[in-house]
Amino acid sequence: QSLIGRRGPDNQSMTTRPLIETTRFTIGQGLDAFTNEAAVLLDPWEQPYRYAYKAQAPWTNPGYVLYSAGPDGVVSAALLSGGFPDRTATGNGDNLYADRP
């Protein structure tokens, strides 16, 4: 719900326009992401996209972390100091991050 702009990072309800174009994503079980809070955006390997925002203090990351666990589905959810993803952690080698070209 945060990714589509229906809930803020702290889970508060929002009525803004979508942050992303949901038509470009696969939505699990064909649910409508705007009317069903159980809807999840799936990556190309049919796993939910991962999202973190202000998950640890002190959070100096100016935005949020959006990523896919990659084809193996394995992810180390640990973030580096400041809220940045640890791309070198075991299992994260094939992860895809929103800020990675």
Side-chain angles (χ1 to χ4, degrees):
Q1 294 294 297
S2 292
L3 294 178
I4 64 168
R6 301 292 293 170
R7 294 236 174 245
D10 297 324
N11 206 30
Q12 73 274 21
S13 181
M14 297 175 61
T15 58
T16 61
R17 66 180 180 82
L19 299 177
I20 61 173
E21 296 179 38
T22 57
T23 57
R24 296 180 182 259
F25 291 87
T26 300
I27 300 175
Q29 302 175 346
L31 299 174
D32 182 341
F34 291 99
T35 60
N36 192 326
E37 292 190 14
V40 294
L41 301 178
L42 300 178
D43 68 15
W45 300 278
E46 297 187 8
Q47 298 295 320
Y49 277 99
R50 312 299 175 110
Y51 172 88
Y53 181 83
K54 294 191 177 187
Q56 75 187 69
W59 185 277
T60 58
N61 184 344
Y64 57 87
V65 179
L66 173 64
Y67 61 101
S68 160
D72 67 3
V74 176
V75 63
S76 170
L79 298 176
L80 297 173
S81 178
F84 294 91
D86 184 356
R87 294 179 169 120
T88 63
T90 303
N92 289 353
D94 67 342
N95 291 5
L96 303 173
Y97 296 89
D99 66 344
R100 184 184 286 177

